[in-house]
């Protein structure tokens, strides 16, 4: 077999395995998983998230992003070479045995909310010790964060277990980059079993939250755009100010609404990768649909979150329920 054909068949076998594992795993998740073992789990998480977002509205965005970065990375099923997993791996600090995901290029100096997750976990441990996984806490916190800021409510499927390892290299390879073009984005999400519609809807998470200058400088100075250039250039000079922040949806920066998509139609996407969703390609129509109907966006976002939340989860006796989210049980 020619090398290319062999490679293609290995890739497609991996894709099929990935879909099978994802389907099998999601079949094992259940909305009622903690009803008997920890009936207060969901209310405890919700009130902690609401309080954290009230203190700092950006925390809603940060919790949502933590969940995304968890789901897109992990190698628990190393023998299949699958990179899957909403398994709490992003929460693990580095140890002598592995270097975790927090130091990867997309995450370093950028992910936030670990202290809030630790505090939620402590509150949940106080009502039900060793019962509720960190992976499930992230899934519920992400939903509650979006809903607190205006997203549509949806039911989170539960029963994920936590990984006992994390992968720096997969965090570097599997998380999407701001330099990605539309086909890179479509392929990256397809590799996780998510459709192009899921990708566009999930990207709508950027309707809340902020990005650092280093992530939009080249778009600001190097691409034609309708960004508010004077204000943004003051925030993000050609050199220096790498960590200075700007909202990805300046119209309504902390509201979970359709304004992010309206901004894309106006060529005001802050990130190169966001503007790719409306750049004359196959996703333009969907961006227009979301910009004209916020209800459709919210519904599609909720459905896509459920699908993303089922990527390569550990269930049953796999993994463990960590007592502290930042470290494996001793
Ligand atoms: C489509 C590919 C994506 C790319 C290239 C991307 C990239 C980025 C970048 C560069 C930032 C700013 C980080 C910083 O400057 O510190 C960011 C922030 C954020 N991302 Fe994405 N992202 C993508 C998809 C997603 C998805 C699918 C979600 C959730 C479902 C998401 C949720 C967020 C949120 C909420 C923030 C703001 C976080 C905060 O303010 O703390 N992103 N993203």
């Amino acid at each position: 077999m020619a090398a290319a054909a062999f490679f293609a068949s290995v890739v497609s076998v991996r894709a099929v395995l990935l879909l099978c594992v994802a389907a099998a795993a999601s079949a094992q998740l259940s909305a009622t998983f903690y009803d008997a073992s920890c009936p207060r789990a969901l209310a405890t998480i919700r009130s902690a998230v609401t309080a954290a977002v009230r203190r700092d509205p950006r925390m809603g965005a940060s919790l949502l992003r933590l969940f995304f970065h968890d789901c897109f990375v992990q190698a628990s099923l190393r023998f299949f070479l699958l990179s899957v997993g909403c398994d709490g791996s992003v929460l693990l600090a580095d140890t002598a045995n592995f270097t975790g995901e927090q130091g990867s290029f997309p995450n370093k100096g950028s992910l936030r909310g670990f202290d809030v997750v630790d505090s939620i976990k402590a509150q949940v441990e106080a009502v039900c010790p060793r019962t509720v996984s960190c992976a499930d806490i992230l899934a519920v916190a992400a939903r509650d964060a979006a809903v607190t800021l205006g997203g549509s409510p949806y039911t989170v499927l539960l029963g994920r277990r936590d990984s006992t390892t994390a992968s720096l290299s997969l965090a570097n390879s599997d998380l999407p980059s701001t330099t990605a073009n539309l086909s890179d984005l479509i392929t990256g999400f397809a590799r996780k079993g998510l459709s192009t519609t899921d990708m566009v809807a999930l990207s709508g998470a950027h309707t809340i939250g902020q990005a650092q200058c280093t992530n939009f400088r080249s778009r600001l100075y190097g691409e034609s755009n309708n960004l508010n250039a004077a204000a943004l250039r003051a925030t993000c000079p050609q050199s220096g100010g790498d960590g200075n922040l700007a909202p990805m949806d300046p119209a309504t920066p902390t509201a979970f609404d359709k304004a992010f998509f309206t901004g894309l139609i106006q060529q005001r996407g802050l990130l190169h990768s966001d503007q790719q969703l409306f750049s004359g390609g196959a996703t333009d129509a969907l961006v227009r649909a979301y910009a004209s109907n916020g209800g459709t966006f919210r519904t599609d976002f909720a459905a896509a979150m459920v699908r993303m939340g089922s990527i390569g989860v550990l269930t049953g006796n796999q993994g463990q329920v960590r007592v502290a989210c930042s470290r494996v049980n001793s």
Side-chain angles (χ1 to χ4, degrees):
M1 193 187 301
F6 174 74
F7 181 70
S9 70
V10 169
V11 169
S12 62
V13 167
R14 276 187 61 186
V16 169
L17 283 171
L18 171 60
L19 292 175
C20 294
V21 170
S26 68
Q28 291 164 33
L29 296 178
S30 134
T32 57
F33 191 79
Y34 296 113
D35 280 10
S37 61
C38 190
R40 288 164 63 193
L42 296 188
T44 305
I45 299 169
R46 186 176 56 239
S47 65
V49 169
T50 315
V53 174
R54 202 180 304 123
R55 275 194 306 275
D56 168 15
R58 186 183 171 202
M59 190 48 69
S62 306
L63 292 171
L64 183 51
R65 186 167 187 237
L66 269 182
F67 180 54
F68 164 50
H69 284 211
D70 187 27
C71 291
F72 259 53
V73 182
Q74 178 47 323
S76 297
L77 303 164
R78 269 170 209 271
F79 48 97
F80 279 154
L81 292 172
L82 295 176
S83 54
V84 294
C86 312
D87 56 6
S89 56
V90 72
L91 303 171
L92 286 173
D94 295 353
T95 70
N97 296 330
F98 60 80
T99 308
E101 294 159 25
Q102 295 173 16
S104 65
F105 293 114
N107 290 344
K108 195 173 179 165
S110 177
L111 279 189
R112 55 201 291 279
F114 296 107
D115 48 341
V116 172
V117 174
D118 287 346
S119 151
I120 298 173
K121 175 64 170 171
Q123 293 174 52
V124 173
E125 283 294 305
V127 290
C128 317
R130 295 176 176 263
T131 306
V132 183
S133 67
C134 298
D136 276 347
I137 287 176
L138 264 192
V140 175
R143 185 269 316 265
D144 292 346
V147 171
T148 303
L149 296 172
S152 287
Y154 60 94
T155 301
V156 179
L157 299 178
L158 300 164
R160 297 169 190 78
R161 308 261 299 173
D162 296 324
S163 71
T164 52
T165 186
S167 170
L168 175 72
S169 60
L170 285 171
N172 278 326
S173 64
D174 284 16
L175 289 168
S177 157
T178 49
T179 58
N181 63 27
L182 181 58
S183 76
D184 298 331
L185 294 171
I186 291 172
T187 312
F189 278 66
R191 220 177 270 138
K192 305 291 172 182
L194 295 173
S195 70
T196 301
T197 302
D198 291 335
M199 188 274 288
V200 175
L202 288 168
S203 298
H206 288 178
T207 185
I208 51 176
Q210 303 180 21
Q212 303 179 57
C213 165
T214 186
N215 284 316
F216 61 83
R217 181 184 283 121
S218 54
R219 169 150 168 79
L220 180 61
Y221 293 96
E223 292 176 19
S224 71
N225 59 65
N226 292 333
L227 292 165
N228 182 351
L232 276 180
R233 285 175 188 204
T235 303
C236 186
Q238 296 245 20
S239 68
D242 284 6
N244 293 350
L245 292 165
M248 288 180 280
D249 170 15
T252 53
T254 57
F256 198 93
D257 60 11
K258 62 181 187 167
F260 167 75
F261 293 105
T262 313
L264 295 186
I265 293 174
Q266 297 163 344
Q267 298 296 321
R268 291 181 198 273
L270 186 63
L271 304 181
H272 167 84
S273 47
D274 283 343
Q275 195 57 58
Q276 282 292 299
L277 304 179
F278 192 86
S279 54
T283 52
D284 280 17
L286 195 52
V287 169
R288 281 191 202 284
Y290 290 159
S292 71
N293 188 337
T296 311
F297 158 53
R298 287 190 190 77
T299 310
D300 282 6
F301 178 82
M305 284 289 279
V306 174
R307 278 190 283 278
M308 185 172 84
S310 301
I311 297 175
V313 295
L314 303 173
T315 56
N317 293 325
Q318 297 171 318
Q320 60 181 217
V321 172
R322 276 183 232 140
V323 175
C325 292
S326 60
R327 56 179 187 275
V328 171
N329 297 340
S330 49

PDB file of all heavy atoms in Angstrom, residues 87-116:
ATOM      1  N   ASP A  87     -12.424  15.357  30.495  1.00  0.00           N
ATOM      2  CA  ASP A  87     -12.015  14.484  31.590  1.00  0.00           C
ATOM      3  C   ASP A  87     -11.297  15.245  32.695  1.00  0.00           C
ATOM      4  O   ASP A  87     -10.561  14.652  33.483  1.00  0.00           O
ATOM      5  CB  ASP A  87     -11.113  13.361  31.054  1.00  0.00           C
ATOM      6  CG  ASP A  87      -9.917  13.934  30.326  1.00  0.00           C
ATOM      7  OD1 ASP A  87      -9.750  15.175  30.355  1.00  0.00           O
ATOM      8  OD2 ASP A  87      -9.151  13.167  29.727  1.00  0.00           O
ATOM      9  N   GLY A  88     -11.473  16.556  32.718  1.00  0.00           N
ATOM     10  CA  GLY A  88     -10.852  17.353  33.775  1.00  0.00           C
ATOM     11  C   GLY A  88      -9.345  17.474  33.650  1.00  0.00           C
ATOM     12  O   GLY A  88      -8.690  18.006  34.551  1.00  0.00           O
ATOM     13  N   SER A  89      -8.777  17.012  32.522  1.00  0.00           N
ATOM     14  CA  SER A  89      -7.307  17.007  32.413  1.00  0.00           C
ATOM     15  C   SER A  89      -6.732  18.423  32.461  1.00  0.00           C
ATOM     16  O   SER A  89      -5.638  18.630  32.985  1.00  0.00           O
ATOM     17  CB  SER A  89      -6.865  16.302  31.123  1.00  0.00           C
ATOM     18  OG  SER A  89      -7.466  16.900  29.998  1.00  0.00           O
ATOM     19  N   VAL A  90      -7.476  19.399  31.942  1.00  0.00           N
ATOM     20  CA  VAL A  90      -6.954  20.776  31.892  1.00  0.00           C
ATOM     21  C   VAL A  90      -6.720  21.337  33.304  1.00  0.00           C
ATOM     22  O   VAL A  90      -5.918  22.256  33.486  1.00  0.00           O
ATOM     23  CB  VAL A  90      -7.925  21.682  31.088  1.00  0.00           C
ATOM     24  CG1 VAL A  90      -9.213  21.970  31.863  1.00  0.00           C
ATOM     25  CG2 VAL A  90      -7.262  22.980  30.690  1.00  0.00           C
ATOM     26  N   LEU A  91      -7.382  20.746  34.278  1.00  0.00           N
ATOM     27  CA  LEU A  91      -7.289  21.276  35.643  1.00  0.00           C
ATOM     28  C   LEU A  91      -6.057  20.775  36.388  1.00  0.00           C
ATOM     29  O   LEU A  91      -5.714  21.294  37.453  1.00  0.00           O
ATOM     30  CB  LEU A  91      -8.552  20.893  36.435  1.00  0.00           C
ATOM     31  CG  LEU A  91      -9.878  21.349  35.813  1.00  0.00           C
ATOM     32  CD1 LEU A  91     -11.063  20.734  36.553  1.00  0.00           C
ATOM     33  CD2 LEU A  91      -9.980  22.874  35.843  1.00  0.00           C
ATOM     34  N   LEU A  92      -5.403  19.737  35.837  1.00  0.00           N
ATOM     35  CA  LEU A  92      -4.266  19.127  36.548  1.00  0.00           C
ATOM     36  C   LEU A  92      -3.022  20.001  36.476  1.00  0.00           C
ATOM     37  O   LEU A  92      -2.589  20.400  35.389  1.00  0.00           O
ATOM     38  CB  LEU A  92      -3.948  17.755  35.951  1.00  0.00           C
ATOM     39  CG  LEU A  92      -4.920  16.624  36.288  1.00  0.00           C
ATOM     40  CD1 LEU A  92      -4.573  15.370  35.474  1.00  0.00           C
ATOM     41  CD2 LEU A  92      -4.917  16.316  37.783  1.00  0.00           C
ATOM     42  N   ALA A  93      -2.438  20.257  37.631  1.00  0.00           N
ATOM     43  CA  ALA A  93      -1.159  20.972  37.677  1.00  0.00           C
ATOM     44  C   ALA A  93      -0.038  20.005  37.264  1.00  0.00           C
ATOM     45  O   ALA A  93      -0.215  18.784  37.313  1.00  0.00           O
ATOM     46  CB  ALA A  93      -0.934  21.495  39.090  1.00  0.00           C
ATOM     47  N   ASP A  94       1.102  20.542  36.873  1.00  0.00           N
ATOM     48  CA  ASP A  94       2.247  19.709  36.495  1.00  0.00           C
ATOM     49  C   ASP A  94       2.680  18.834  37.675  1.00  0.00           C
ATOM     50  O   ASP A  94       2.579  19.241  38.828  1.00  0.00           O
ATOM     51  CB  ASP A  94       3.446  20.586  36.108  1.00  0.00           C
ATOM     52  CG  ASP A  94       3.163  21.411  34.858  1.00  0.00           C
ATOM     53  OD1 ASP A  94       2.112  21.198  34.228  1.00  0.00           O
ATOM     54  OD2 ASP A  94       4.010  22.262  34.529  1.00  0.00           O
ATOM     55  N   THR A  95       3.157  17.644  37.369  1.00  0.00           N
ATOM     56  CA  THR A  95       3.714  16.772  38.417  1.00  0.00           C
ATOM     57  C   THR A  95       5.051  16.224  37.921  1.00  0.00           C
ATOM     58  O   THR A  95       5.452  16.488  36.787  1.00  0.00           O
ATOM     59  CB  THR A  95       2.805  15.550  38.689  1.00  0.00           C
ATOM     60  OG1 THR A  95       2.883  14.676  37.552  1.00  0.00           O
ATOM     61  CG2 THR A  95       1.375  15.945  38.943  1.00  0.00           C
ATOM     62  N   ALA A  96       5.668  15.395  38.767  1.00  0.00           N
ATOM     63  CA  ALA A  96       6.923  14.759  38.353  1.00  0.00           C
ATOM     64  C   ALA A  96       6.667  13.796  37.194  1.00  0.00           C
ATOM     65  O   ALA A  96       7.549  13.538  36.370  1.00  0.00           O
ATOM     66  CB  ALA A  96       7.532  14.020  39.537  1.00  0.00           C
ATOM     67  N   ASN A  97       5.446  13.245  37.095  1.00  0.00           N
ATOM     68  CA  ASN A  97       5.155  12.237  36.075  1.00  0.00           C
ATOM     69  C   ASN A  97       4.734  12.806  34.725  1.00  0.00           C
ATOM     70  O   ASN A  97       4.884  12.166  33.704  1.00  0.00           O
ATOM     71  CB  ASN A  97       4.030  11.312  36.548  1.00  0.00           C
ATOM     72  CG  ASN A  97       4.441  10.518  37.757  1.00  0.00           C
ATOM     73  OD1 ASN A  97       5.626  10.218  37.911  1.00  0.00           O
ATOM     74  ND2 ASN A  97       3.492  10.219  38.622  1.00  0.00           N
ATOM     75  N   PHE A  98       4.133  13.978  34.722  1.00  0.00           N
ATOM     76  CA  PHE A  98       3.726  14.561  33.442  1.00  0.00           C
ATOM     77  C   PHE A  98       3.726  16.080  33.540  1.00  0.00           C
ATOM     78  O   PHE A  98       3.611  16.643  34.636  1.00  0.00           O
ATOM     79  CB  PHE A  98       2.328  14.067  33.011  1.00  0.00           C
ATOM     80  CG  PHE A  98       1.237  14.403  33.984  1.00  0.00           C
ATOM     81  CD1 PHE A  98       0.657  15.678  34.013  1.00  0.00           C
ATOM     82  CD2 PHE A  98       0.761  13.448  34.883  1.00  0.00           C
ATOM     83  CE1 PHE A  98      -0.340  15.989  34.910  1.00  0.00           C
ATOM     84  CE2 PHE A  98      -0.247  13.757  35.786  1.00  0.00           C
ATOM     85  CZ  PHE A  98      -0.794  15.027  35.803  1.00  0.00           C
ATOM     86  N   THR A  99       3.876  16.714  32.364  1.00  0.00           N
ATOM     87  CA  THR A  99       3.714  18.166  32.283  1.00  0.00           C
ATOM     88  C   THR A  99       2.303  18.392  31.789  1.00  0.00           C
ATOM     89  O   THR A  99       1.903  17.851  30.758  1.00  0.00           O
ATOM     90  CB  THR A  99       4.727  18.766  31.294  1.00  0.00           C
ATOM     91  OG1 THR A  99       6.017  18.279  31.665  1.00  0.00           O
ATOM     92  CG2 THR A  99       4.711  20.275  31.356  1.00  0.00           C
ATOM     93  N   GLY A 100       1.537  19.163  32.536  1.00  0.00           N
ATOM     94  CA  GLY A 100       0.122  19.321  32.218  1.00  0.00           C
ATOM     95  C   GLY A 100      -0.140  20.283  31.074  1.00  0.00           C
ATOM     96  O   GLY A 100       0.777  20.731  30.377  1.00  0.00           O
ATOM     97  N   GLU A 101      -1.420  20.587  30.908  1.00  0.00           N
ATOM     98  CA  GLU A 101      -1.856  21.366  29.745  1.00  0.00           C
ATOM     99  C   GLU A 101      -1.825  22.875  29.977  1.00  0.00           C
ATOM    100  O   GLU A 101      -1.931  23.661  29.039  1.00  0.00           O
ATOM    101  CB  GLU A 101      -3.285  20.919  29.378  1.00  0.00           C
ATOM    102  CG  GLU A 101      -3.308  19.478  28.899  1.00  0.00           C
ATOM    103  CD  GLU A 101      -4.679  18.807  28.989  1.00  0.00           C
ATOM    104  OE1 GLU A 101      -5.700  19.514  28.965  1.00  0.00           O
ATOM    105  OE2 GLU A 101      -4.698  17.568  29.080  1.00  0.00           O
ATOM    106  N   GLN A 102      -1.681  23.248  31.248  1.00  0.00           N
ATOM    107  CA  GLN A 102      -1.807  24.677  31.550  1.00  0.00           C
ATOM    108  C   GLN A 102      -0.661  25.498  30.972  1.00  0.00           C
ATOM    109  O   GLN A 102      -0.808  26.692  30.732  1.00  0.00           O
ATOM    110  CB  GLN A 102      -1.932  24.873  33.065  1.00  0.00           C
ATOM    111  CG  GLN A 102      -3.230  24.256  33.588  1.00  0.00           C
ATOM    112  CD  GLN A 102      -3.329  24.268  35.101  1.00  0.00           C
ATOM    113  OE1 GLN A 102      -2.596  24.977  35.777  1.00  0.00           O
ATOM    114  NE2 GLN A 102      -4.247  23.467  35.631  1.00  0.00           N
ATOM    115  N   GLY A 103       0.481  24.849  30.731  1.00  0.00           N
ATOM    116  CA  GLY A 103       1.631  25.574  30.187  1.00  0.00           C
ATOM    117  C   GLY A 103       1.688  25.564  28.665  1.00  0.00           C
ATOM    118  O   GLY A 103       2.646  26.056  28.076  1.00  0.00           O
ATOM    119  N   SER A 104       0.665  25.019  28.007  1.00  0.00           N
ATOM    120  CA  SER A 104       0.690  24.967  26.535  1.00  0.00           C
ATOM    121  C   SER A 104       0.493  26.373  25.954  1.00  0.00           C
ATOM    122  O   SER A 104       0.037  27.279  26.658  1.00  0.00           O
ATOM    123  CB  SER A 104      -0.427  24.046  26.031  1.00  0.00           C
ATOM    124  OG  SER A 104      -1.680  24.625  26.362  1.00  0.00           O
ATOM    125  N   PHE A 105       0.834  26.532  24.682  1.00  0.00           N
ATOM    126  CA  PHE A 105       0.770  27.876  24.075  1.00  0.00           C
ATOM    127  C   PHE A 105      -0.626  28.504  24.179  1.00  0.00           C
ATOM    128  O   PHE A 105      -0.756  29.658  24.581  1.00  0.00           O
ATOM    129  CB  PHE A 105       1.234  27.836  22.618  1.00  0.00           C
ATOM    130  CG  PHE A 105       2.694  27.520  22.499  1.00  0.00           C
ATOM    131  CD1 PHE A 105       3.124  26.337  21.914  1.00  0.00           C
ATOM    132  CD2 PHE A 105       3.658  28.400  22.999  1.00  0.00           C
ATOM    133  CE1 PHE A 105       4.476  26.034  21.831  1.00  0.00           C
ATOM    134  CE2 PHE A 105       5.008  28.102  22.920  1.00  0.00           C
ATOM    135  CZ  PHE A 105       5.418  26.922  22.336  1.00  0.00           C
ATOM    136  N   PRO A 106      -1.710  27.760  23.851  1.00  0.00           N
ATOM    137  CA  PRO A 106      -3.019  28.434  23.927  1.00  0.00           C
ATOM    138  C   PRO A 106      -3.442  28.738  25.364  1.00  0.00           C
ATOM    139  O   PRO A 106      -4.274  29.619  25.583  1.00  0.00           O
ATOM    140  CB  PRO A 106      -3.980  27.415  23.298  1.00  0.00           C
ATOM    141  CG  PRO A 106      -3.135  26.424  22.592  1.00  0.00           C
ATOM    142  CD  PRO A 106      -1.817  26.408  23.303  1.00  0.00           C
ATOM    143  N   ASN A 107      -2.901  28.000  26.334  1.00  0.00           N
ATOM    144  CA  ASN A 107      -3.409  28.113  27.707  1.00  0.00           C
ATOM    145  C   ASN A 107      -2.587  29.028  28.604  1.00  0.00           C
ATOM    146  O   ASN A 107      -3.131  29.673  29.508  1.00  0.00           O
ATOM    147  CB  ASN A 107      -3.455  26.715  28.352  1.00  0.00           C
ATOM    148  CG  ASN A 107      -4.541  25.839  27.735  1.00  0.00           C
ATOM    149  OD1 ASN A 107      -5.437  26.348  27.059  1.00  0.00           O
ATOM    150  ND2 ASN A 107      -4.464  24.543  27.947  1.00  0.00           N
ATOM    151  N   LYS A 108      -1.283  29.068  28.364  1.00  0.00           N
ATOM    152  CA  LYS A 108      -0.388  29.751  29.304  1.00  0.00           C
ATOM    153  C   LYS A 108      -0.695  31.251  29.385  1.00  0.00           C
ATOM    154  O   LYS A 108      -0.810  31.927  28.365  1.00  0.00           O
ATOM    155  CB  LYS A 108       1.064  29.548  28.852  1.00  0.00           C
ATOM    156  CG  LYS A 108       2.034  29.894  29.919  1.00  0.00           C
ATOM    157  CD  LYS A 108       3.446  29.544  29.524  1.00  0.00           C
ATOM    158  CE  LYS A 108       4.319  29.973  30.683  1.00  0.00           C
ATOM    159  NZ  LYS A 108       5.595  29.480  30.720  1.00  0.00           N
ATOM    160  N   GLY A 109      -0.816  31.742  30.592  1.00  0.00           N
ATOM    161  CA  GLY A 109      -1.086  33.169  30.779  1.00  0.00           C
ATOM    162  C   GLY A 109      -2.447  33.585  30.253  1.00  0.00           C
ATOM    163  O   GLY A 109      -2.705  34.775  30.053  1.00  0.00           O
ATOM    164  N   SER A 110      -3.319  32.627  29.997  1.00  0.00           N
ATOM    165  CA  SER A 110      -4.579  32.935  29.323  1.00  0.00           C
ATOM    166  C   SER A 110      -5.776  32.283  30.029  1.00  0.00           C
ATOM    167  O   SER A 110      -6.751  32.958  30.332  1.00  0.00           O
ATOM    168  CB  SER A 110      -4.476  32.460  27.873  1.00  0.00           C
ATOM    169  OG  SER A 110      -5.683  32.664  27.195  1.00  0.00           O
ATOM    170  N   LEU A 111      -5.700  30.976  30.260  1.00  0.00           N
ATOM    171  CA  LEU A 111      -6.818  30.323  30.959  1.00  0.00           C
ATOM    172  C   LEU A 111      -6.938  30.888  32.362  1.00  0.00           C
ATOM    173  O   LEU A 111      -5.946  31.125  33.038  1.00  0.00           O
ATOM    174  CB  LEU A 111      -6.567  28.811  31.068  1.00  0.00           C
ATOM    175  CG  LEU A 111      -6.879  27.953  29.855  1.00  0.00           C
ATOM    176  CD1 LEU A 111      -6.777  26.480  30.234  1.00  0.00           C
ATOM    177  CD2 LEU A 111      -8.240  28.252  29.258  1.00  0.00           C
ATOM    178  N   ARG A 112      -8.151  31.094  32.781  1.00  0.00           N
ATOM    179  CA  ARG A 112      -8.372  31.547  34.164  1.00  0.00           C
ATOM    180  C   ARG A 112      -9.608  30.857  34.731  1.00  0.00           C
ATOM    181  O   ARG A 112     -10.361  30.213  34.002  1.00  0.00           O
ATOM    182  CB  ARG A 112      -8.476  33.076  34.223  1.00  0.00           C
ATOM    183  CG  ARG A 112      -9.511  33.689  33.319  1.00  0.00           C
ATOM    184  CD  ARG A 112      -9.230  35.173  33.042  1.00  0.00           C
ATOM    185  NE  ARG A 112      -9.396  36.053  34.166  1.00  0.00           N
ATOM    186  CZ  ARG A 112     -10.564  36.528  34.598  1.00  0.00           C
ATOM    187  NH1 ARG A 112     -11.704  36.173  34.001  1.00  0.00           N
ATOM    188  NH2 ARG A 112     -10.633  37.333  35.627  1.00  0.00           N
ATOM    189  N   GLY A 113      -9.786  30.984  36.045  1.00  0.00           N
ATOM    190  CA  GLY A 113     -10.953  30.372  36.671  1.00  0.00           C
ATOM    191  C   GLY A 113     -10.620  29.124  37.481  1.00  0.00           C
ATOM    192  O   GLY A 113     -11.516  28.510  38.063  1.00  0.00           O
ATOM    193  N   PHE A 114      -9.322  28.750  37.527  1.00  0.00           N
ATOM    194  CA  PHE A 114      -8.962  27.540  38.277  1.00  0.00           C
ATOM    195  C   PHE A 114      -9.345  27.670  39.759  1.00  0.00           C
ATOM    196  O   PHE A 114      -9.794  26.712  40.378  1.00  0.00           O
ATOM    197  CB  PHE A 114      -7.462  27.251  38.154  1.00  0.00           C
ATOM    198  CG  PHE A 114      -7.037  26.934  36.752  1.00  0.00           C
ATOM    199  CD1 PHE A 114      -6.305  27.838  35.999  1.00  0.00           C
ATOM    200  CD2 PHE A 114      -7.391  25.719  36.170  1.00  0.00           C
ATOM    201  CE1 PHE A 114      -5.934  27.548  34.700  1.00  0.00           C
ATOM    202  CE2 PHE A 114      -7.019  25.416  34.864  1.00  0.00           C
ATOM    203  CZ  PHE A 114      -6.290  26.336  34.130  1.00  0.00           C
ATOM    204  N   ASP A 115      -9.157  28.875  40.306  1.00  0.00           N
ATOM    205  CA  ASP A 115      -9.498  29.082  41.722  1.00  0.00           C
ATOM    206  C   ASP A 115     -11.003  28.933  41.936  1.00  0.00           C
ATOM    207  O   ASP A 115     -11.451  28.386  42.952  1.00  0.00           O
ATOM    208  CB  ASP A 115      -8.997  30.462  42.189  1.00  0.00           C
ATOM    209  CG  ASP A 115      -9.371  31.574  41.213  1.00  0.00           C
ATOM    210  OD1 ASP A 115      -9.691  31.269  40.040  1.00  0.00           O
ATOM    211  OD2 ASP A 115      -9.385  32.746  41.630  1.00  0.00           O
ATOM    212  N   VAL A 116     -11.786  29.404  40.970  1.00  0.00           N
ATOM    213  CA  VAL A 116     -13.250  29.273  41.096  1.00  0.00           C
ATOM    214  C   VAL A 116     -13.643  27.796  41.039  1.00  0.00           C
ATOM    215  O   VAL A 116     -14.467  27.328  41.833  1.00  0.00           O
ATOM    216  CB  VAL A 116     -13.966  30.079  39.981  1.00  0.00           C
ATOM    217  CG1 VAL A 116     -15.461  29.791  39.975  1.00  0.00           C
ATOM    218  CG2 VAL A 116     -13.710  31.571  40.174  1.00  0.00           C
TER     219      VAL A 116
END
